[in-house]
Amino acid sequence: MSQRAIDLVRQFPQERVFLIGDALLDTYLEGEASRLCREGPVPLLWKTREQHAPGGAANVAANLKALNAHVSFLSVIGNDYAGSLLRGELEDMGIDPQWLLEDDTPLTPHKMRILAEGQYVIRLDDGARQGVTVRPTNEALRTRLHQYIEELYADCDVVVISDYHYGVVSQPVIEQLTALARRKPKPILIDSQALQRFQHLPATVVTPNHAEAQRLVELGGETPAEDWEELAQQLHKILHVDYVAITLAEHGVYLRPRGDAPGLHVPTRPVENAQDVGAGDSFAAAFSLALAAGGSIEESAQIGLDNAGIAVTKPRTAFVSQQELLQRASLRTFTAVLQTQEDELERLRATLEIERLRGKTIVFTNGVFDILHAGHIHFLRQARQLGDVLVVAINSDRSTRSLKGPGRPIHSEQDRLALVAALDPVNYTLLFDEDTSSSIISTLRPDVYVKGGDYSDEAIPEAAAIQESGSRLVILPLVGSASTSNVIERIVAQQES
């Protein structure tokens, strides 16, 4: 994952999400088991803890909110104790409950998990029944539901449909969303346990797990393929979507676009003792936000996988904060940069060894090269005259900020790399992320190392690496006042005058 992933996650607070789906309450009852019950051969538990958490689409809402997005969660809850608890949990998280319609008839779907010494004993479900209940039952509430859909769709950046098949996302709701999507297309993510009902909705992506994908193909009258690519092709024949994203638990996700282009497997980081309750909700939340922020389907899926990968390290129904996801994205970026640098550095080292065998003298220098000016060109020409092959290492954006401050660089690392590589005196270029080029000098062992400025030998940060590698140090004076800092100062002065 690149720096772009970090930028996408940082943009999450600007995104407005319209989330519609089934709000569930998850309850965890924990107890200590000391003996068997006298009434039957079952453990007798002494209750030690009772925990409530948003479940189903409400967990998606909690994940979106934790990622600092603006979320409008439209759902239906019952006028009951579970509904009251769920509303309170959402309010505590800062989720506005104004879009939660309260229906007197169907009870709030409620999943109660009972644990003994941390081990699941039983799950007891209560309230509305999956695939049976239609919500809301009140005509006035149905009218309000459709009005809210119209309002929220018009004012959002991305739509998330989290359908646990408890009745909120009914056929009339799907038809309304289909008409809205055709009239004004927006990024739409569908996560449904009854995908066959969404055949005509023009969505951006659907996210079935492997079993759900196979079930949908079977409902379509075909034998589901075991091969991910063939299974994704089968789904595209059934659904009107741009992308199919088959989630594969610890194996990541398989992405396939509509059309002839092949699919892509995006692996995930393995997690020991993963807790998979709500992992799909965490994936859908970050995936949809990354799409809204302008991420590609692959970038967005990777960010979704990172979010789910953090969630499964937490016990029970959990959500991930934006800061946690930023840390994971930063770690992935740093690791990828190091790996890429190591690969490029090793290839360059091998290339330069061949140049040496041909009797060529290797000259090496490094710098930021932010705004190219006459001083840079003069310096590089002089450096090239000291040998036959000139290698230039460019500071990454991160190391430039470390050296020059938060306002730099002006140009991105890729732009700076491309500009320097295009200069006639330069033979090879590479990026580096450290504050000094000592490790590159130690690896490449250039014949000549060139530094610009008024350094003494001892003041050069790379002095030890130069001595160890046997390189000859040449310090070239800078030309007049030609420096990037001076150029920037003149530009600022002109803008202020």
Side-chain angles (χ1 to χ4, degrees), residues 68-334:
N68 286 331
H70 298 277
V71 55
S72 298
F73 177 36
L74 180 58
S75 190
V76 181
I77 60 174
N79 183 14
D80 54 8
Y81 181 61
S84 175
L85 288 174
L86 178 56
R87 182 186 292 273
E89 291 291 330
L90 292 173
E91 287 180 339
D92 288 345
M93 294 175 182
I95 298 171
D96 192 338
Q98 66 169 311
W99 311 109
L100 290 179
L101 300 176
E102 192 171 283
D103 197 339
D104 290 332
T105 306
L107 300 175
T108 304
H110 187 191
K111 297 181 179 180
M112 290 172 278
R113 298 170 174 88
I114 299 176
L115 300 88
E117 313 292 347
Q119 299 295 317
Y120 282 93
V121 176
I122 193 171
R123 194 185 92 182
L124 176 65
D125 289 4
D126 189 20
R129 300 193 66 177
Q130 191 175 43
V132 176
T133 307
V134 177
R135 315 182 75 193
T137 56
N138 183 292
E139 182 63 33
L141 286 181
R142 279 200 293 269
T143 300
R144 285 174 58 193
L145 178 68
H146 289 286
Q147 289 174 344
Y148 287 162
I149 291 173
E150 197 83 27
E151 294 173 19
L152 294 173
Y153 187 94
D155 193 41
C156 73
D157 299 307
V158 62
V159 180
V160 179
I161 302 170
S162 180
D163 174 35
Y164 277 73
H165 206 199
Y166 280 89
V168 172
V169 188
S170 62
Q171 197 57 39
V173 165
I174 295 174
E175 291 171 2
Q176 182 182 9
L177 290 169
T178 301
L180 288 169
R182 287 174 176 167
R183 188 163 68 238
K184 188 176 181 181
K186 293 189 176 186
I188 299 176
L189 181 147
I190 303 174
D191 184 14
S192 173
Q193 296 190 12
L195 262 179
Q196 69 276 9
R197 302 184 305 123
F198 294 86
Q199 293 184 40
H200 305 295
L201 200 161
T204 307
V205 61
V206 293
T207 60
N209 61 36
H210 193 260
E212 290 167 344
Q214 289 185 316
R215 189 159 58 246
L216 177 58
V217 171
E218 287 176 346
L219 288 172
E222 294 189 42
T223 301
E226 287 296 330
D227 179 80
W228 298 337
E229 170 68 12
E230 291 183 27
L231 183 59
Q233 290 180 23
Q234 291 176 324
L235 292 180
H236 272 295
K237 293 177 182 178
I238 300 171
L239 301 169
H240 187 66
V241 295
D242 296 331
Y243 291 92
V244 165
I246 303 175
T247 58
L248 304 165
E250 71 275 12
H251 299 296
V253 63
Y254 191 79
L255 301 170
R256 192 186 192 281
R258 181 191 300 180
D260 298 329
L264 171 69
H265 176 224
V266 183
T268 190
R269 179 178 176 179
V271 176
E272 293 185 8
N273 303 317
Q275 309 289 323
D276 62 353
V277 177
D281 299 331
S282 300
F283 174 75
F287 193 176
S288 61
L289 284 175
L291 286 174
S296 69
I297 195 73
E298 183 181 352
E299 290 170 332
S300 302
Q302 183 63 76
I303 290 171
L305 287 174
D306 278 344
N307 205 53
I310 300 170
V312 298
T313 64
K314 302 182 178 185
R316 310 188 181 109
T317 310
F319 49 86
V320 179
S321 71
Q322 185 193 20
Q323 189 59 43
E324 288 176 303
L325 184 55
L326 274 173
Q327 290 173 356
R328 173 64 63 86
S330 298
L331 177 61
R332 183 183 292 278
T333 299
F334 181 69

Side-chain angles (χ1 to χ4, degrees), residues 50 105 131 135 178 181 211 266 291 321 328 345 372 378 403-404 421 441 450 455 458 467 481:
E50 182 172 341
T105 306
R135 315 182 75 193
T178 301
V266 183
L291 286 174
S321 71
R328 173 64 63 86
L345 190 60
L372 280 179
H378 182 74
L403 294 169
K404 304 292 186 180
I441 294 170
V450 183
Y455 291 93
E458 295 79 11
Q467 184 176 6
S481 61

Side-chain angles (χ1 to χ4, degrees), residues 25-48:
L25 177 68
D26 284 347
T27 294
Y28 295 89
L29 299 174
E30 298 182 54
E32 296 176 353
S34 57
R35 61 182 175 85
L36 292 179
C37 178
R38 293 173 181 171
E39 290 87 351
V42 295
L44 173 65
L45 301 183
W46 181 266
K47 191 173 79 169
T48 57

Side-chain angles (χ1 to χ4, degrees), residues 459-477:
I460 292 179
E462 297 86 358
I466 295 167
Q467 184 176 6
E468 187 274 335
S469 64
S471 302
R472 178 167 65 94
L473 172 64
V474 176
I475 299 175
L476 296 177

